[in-house]
Amino acid sequence: MKKLMTILAITCLSMVSLLGCSNTSSNEETKATTAATATPAPVMLTGKHHVEIEVDTLGTIKVELNADIAPITVTNFITLANNKFYDGLTFHRVINKFMIQGGDPLGNGTGGSENTIKGEFKSNGIANSISHVRGTISMARSAQSYDSASSQFFICQENAVYLDGEYAAFGTVTEGMAVVDQIAAKTKVQDKNGTVAKENQPVIETIKVID
């Protein structure tokens, strides 16, 4: 569970020298140019939103996301879904009677998108009232960093309230838990950590944003 970010840098020695002795006007122009080319911060969503996770041959998992409780997480997830990031990715980690985890472009638990996000949970200084119970969707992250979540997510198959305050839960399954149960029960795993060989990983056809 690892993750990401994009920074624009200009490293020309002659320009550094020029800026060091430039007047206020040229400084203002430089700031204006930088502001114009910088990637704008995403507008945080609010309210309830709905997505459908379509799993190849198995069916659809319908999920309600709560941006009032986890705006950063929901905004990131919906942005990735709208950009078709999840199309063709898989559930690469499955532990029956616990959870199914997917959304890694590398398919091995080490990949993510370009950006990492702040973890919206109690241990990271943010209140989050969504409990990790059966049907909860939450963000996977590195054990070493609270702010390392990116694209990987997991859906609880059974209650796991001991994760409350440590992971950013951001919604709940409203329909399709039978699909989650089928993935959890029938996916062949390689070890107790739920590692799934590439050829056995259930495929996410797409994650469709409804509203």
Side-chain angles (χ1 to χ4, degrees):
M1 296 180 289
K2 304 199 175 147
K3 320 333 166 231
L4 334 133
M5 197 167 289
T6 306
I7 300 176
L8 180 64
I10 301 174
T11 56
C12 175
L13 289 178
S14 59
M15 181 168 286
V16 170
S17 178
L18 176 63
L19 290 176
C21 60
S22 63
N23 58 29
T24 302
S25 177
S26 61
N27 279 335
E28 295 288 341
E29 291 174 2
T30 300
K31 291 178 182 178
T33 301
T34 301
T37 58
T39 302
V43 176
M44 290 296 108
L45 296 173
T46 59
K48 302 287 183 63
H49 299 269
H50 300 84
V51 300
E52 295 181 355
I53 304 172
E54 298 179 5
V55 185
D56 185 36
T57 74
L58 296 180
T60 300
I61 305 168
K62 297 183 179 181
V63 187
E64 182 178 79
L65 309 179
N66 193 329
D68 289 333
I69 293 176
I72 297 172
T73 309
V74 172
T75 298
N76 177 70
F77 188 84
I78 286 183
T79 298
L80 292 175
N82 278 330
N83 288 337
K84 306 300 181 182
F85 178 90
Y86 289 111
D87 293 12
L89 300 189
T90 62
F91 288 99
H92 64 275
R93 183 172 181 240
V94 174
I95 300 178
N96 194 24
K97 304 301 182 183
F98 176 28
M99 60 90 224
I100 62 173
Q101 181 176 327
D104 177 6
L106 299 181
N108 61 13
T110 66
S113 67
E114 291 183 343
N115 301 306
T116 55
I117 58 175
K118 184 174 181 63
E120 294 177 298
F121 46 85
K122 184 177 180 180
S123 290
N124 206 25
I126 298 179
N128 187 328
S129 59
I130 302 175
S131 184
H132 288 79
V133 296
R134 175 172 164 83
T136 295
I137 185 170
S138 187
M139 291 301 289
R141 64 171 177 83
S142 164
Q144 288 73 42
S145 174
Y146 285 162
D147 298 330
S148 57
S150 178
S151 63
Q152 293 188 48
F153 64 92
F154 63 93
I155 298 173
C156 295
Q157 185 200 13
E158 299 293 345
N159 294 350
V161 296
Y162 51 87
L163 299 179
D164 292 356
E166 299 294 330
Y167 291 85
F170 62 105
T172 188
V173 173
T174 58
E175 188 176 327
M177 279 303 295
V179 177
V180 175
D181 289 336
Q182 189 171 356
I183 292 171
K186 296 187 177 182
T187 300
K188 182 179 180 180
V189 300
Q190 297 179 307
D191 52 38
K192 291 182 178 180
N193 195 44
T195 304
V196 183
K198 186 66 177 177
E199 64 271 18
N200 295 322
Q201 294 176 3
V203 176
I204 300 169
E205 289 185 340
T206 189
I207 296 183
K208 183 188 304 182
V209 178
I210 307 303
D211 56 32

